[in-house]
């Protein structure tokens, strides 16, 4: 018996999430079901991918994640189950939701779900709620031990799992650049794809000042100097800071404020951030 963790863009305004819980309860009343989040913005596959990598590796080997952000429901996109290189399982549409898991955690094995076997009995001709009829049902059966991973369906090459476009963080001269991957939603911090080790090649230490430039395509929305801080307490309330987040990547924030709202900053590969050691200013 393993835990099952649910993620979706369904929200809680109707009974969709509750229906998935009901499916799991009918498969196995003893199954433990948890929520990652059901507040993914509608159709936002990129954010679904990021929230998975934010959490998957912290769960025990054998845990089963079910992620349903599925704008292509009912189309020819595959329904897939993967085993990560750290031993967790993810069941999801093969639409890019596994981008960060594949790139950062690694996929050891992938299988296409055999919907002739792993589909909720008596779910009829419904093709619009695969989260309930296929993903929650298959996830509950796998987590409860009713089926093995091999019984999910036929194996496919792990490298065939679809990835979304990604822009790698890079260093050029005295500047490190990357993308703003996602927001720390509640607090409005900007989480980048710039790893700590790459950032530290700028020769910066806590307390040093960093020149931060943020742009979207060709438009620069922010350019200023801020402190590289250990934590929010290192700056005054209302001041910006640059810090290393819980995924060991660089992030930008305002202490007790929302950076994203203050400067109308979004996320994705079109949102670029550049960092360099702030030039020394000499006053006469």
């Amino acid at each position: 018996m393993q835990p099952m963790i649910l993620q979706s863009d369904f929200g809680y305004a109707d009974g969709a999430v509750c229906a998935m819980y009901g499916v799991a309860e009918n498969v196995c009343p003893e199954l433990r079901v948890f929520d990652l989040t059901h507040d993914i913005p509608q159709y936002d596959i990129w954010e679904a991918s990021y929230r998975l990598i934010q959490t998957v590796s912290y769960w025990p080997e054998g845990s089963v994640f079910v992620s349903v952000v599925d704008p292509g429901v009912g189309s020819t996109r595959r329904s897939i189950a993967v085993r990560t290189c750290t031993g967790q399982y993810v069941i999801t549409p093969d639409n890019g939701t596994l981008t960060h898991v594949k790139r950062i955690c690694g996929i050891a094995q992938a299988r296409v779900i055999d919907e002739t076997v792993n589909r909720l009995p008596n779910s009829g001709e419904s093709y619009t709620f695969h989260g309930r009829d296929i993903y929650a049902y298959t996830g509950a059966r796998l987590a409860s031990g009713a089926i093995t991973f091999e019984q999910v369906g036929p194996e496919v090459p792990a490298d065939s799992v679809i990835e979304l476009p990604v822009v790698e963080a890079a260093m050029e001269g005295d500047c490190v650049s990357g993308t703003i991957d996602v927001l720390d939603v509640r607090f409005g911090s900007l989480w980048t794809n710039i790893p700590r080790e790459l950032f530290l090649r700028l020769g910066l230490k806590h307390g040093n000042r960093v020149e931060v430039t943020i742009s979207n395509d060709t438009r620069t929305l922010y350019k200023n100097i801020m402190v590289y801080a250990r934590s929010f307490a290192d700056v005054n309330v209302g001041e910006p800071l640059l810090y290393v987040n819980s995924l060991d990547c660089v992030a930008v924030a305002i202490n007790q404020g929302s950076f994203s709202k203050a400067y109308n900053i979004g996320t994705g590969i079109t949102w670029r951030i550049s960092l360099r050691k702030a030039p020394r200013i000499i006053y006469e």
Side-chain angles (χ1 to χ4, degrees):
M1 187 78 67
Q2 299 292 345
M4 182 170 77
I5 304 95
L6 301 177
Q7 169 177 274
S8 76
D9 58 353
F10 297 161
Y12 292 100
D14 63 15
V17 173
C18 188
M20 294 171 71
Y21 266 85
V23 167
E25 181 75 11
N26 277 302
V27 168
C28 179
E30 293 78 28
L31 182 63
R32 294 178 298 150
V33 183
F34 301 87
D35 292 318
L36 194 164
T37 180
H38 295 289
D39 289 327
I40 299 291
Q42 293 96 318
Y43 320 119
D44 194 336
I45 298 167
W46 177 270
E47 180 144 341
S49 173
Y50 205 95
R51 297 308 174 198
L52 282 175
I53 199 58
Q54 190 179 0
T55 53
V56 162
S57 63
Y58 296 99
W59 282 77
E61 183 177 349
S63 300
V64 177
F65 286 76
V66 174
S67 179
V68 191
V69 178
D70 194 12
V73 62
S75 69
T76 56
R77 62 94 183 93
R78 300 187 299 185
S79 295
I80 200 165
V82 304
R83 180 169 57 84
T84 72
C85 290
T86 49
Q88 300 84 10
Y89 298 98
V90 185
I91 294 175
T92 187
D94 186 21
N95 58 9
T97 296
L98 290 163
T99 297
H100 290 90
V101 166
K102 182 178 178 181
R103 293 174 58 83
I104 298 172
C105 184
I107 294 175
Q109 193 176 17
R111 293 183 176 274
V112 172
I113 297 174
D114 182 354
E115 297 178 13
T116 65
V117 177
N118 294 302
R119 182 183 173 98
L120 181 68
N122 303 314
S123 56
E125 292 295 317
S126 171
Y127 296 100
T128 59
F129 199 176
H130 286 177
R132 176 196 66 195
D133 299 338
I134 296 171
Y135 303 131
Y137 181 68
T138 304
R141 285 174 25 102
L142 179 61
S144 67
I147 60 171
T148 64
F149 183 57
E150 289 70 25
Q151 291 173 307
V152 166
E155 185 173 4
V156 294
D159 61 8
S160 73
V161 174
I162 290 174
E163 295 180 66
L164 300 171
V166 172
V167 177
E168 299 283 0
M171 184 170 188
E172 186 174 346
D174 65 348
C175 182
V176 170
S177 63
T179 57
I180 299 170
D181 273 2
V182 75
L183 301 180
D184 186 357
V185 179
R186 290 278 292 176
F187 304 103
S189 305
L190 315 179
W191 285 20
T192 79
N193 71 334
I194 300 172
R196 174 178 54 87
E197 291 185 357
L198 179 62
F199 168 71
L200 291 180
R201 287 170 60 183
L202 294 175
L204 290 159
K205 297 180 180 179
H206 291 123
N208 291 162
R209 295 189 173 273
V210 185
E211 183 182 273
V212 177
T213 304
I214 299 172
S215 59
N216 183 3
D217 295 326
T218 58
R219 186 163 63 103
T220 298
L221 289 94
Y222 181 88
K223 186 171 184 177
N224 213 332
I225 293 172
M226 63 182 69
V227 173
Y228 169 39
R230 188 182 303 273
S231 70
F232 296 89
D234 291 349
V235 301
N236 294 323
V237 172
E239 289 186 352
L241 68 148
L242 184 143
Y243 67 102
V244 175
N245 67 14
S246 59
L247 294 181
D248 210 29
C249 288
V250 171
V252 176
I254 293 175
N255 187 14
Q256 297 187 34
S258 171
F259 199 102
S260 65
K261 289 182 179 178
Y263 298 100
N264 198 26
I265 306 297
T267 62
I269 61 173
T270 62
W271 288 90
R272 305 300 304 275
I273 182 167
S274 298
L275 312 172
R276 72 185 183 105
K277 191 171 184 178
R280 186 178 179 184
I281 300 174
I282 300 175
Y283 297 95
E284 295 184 354

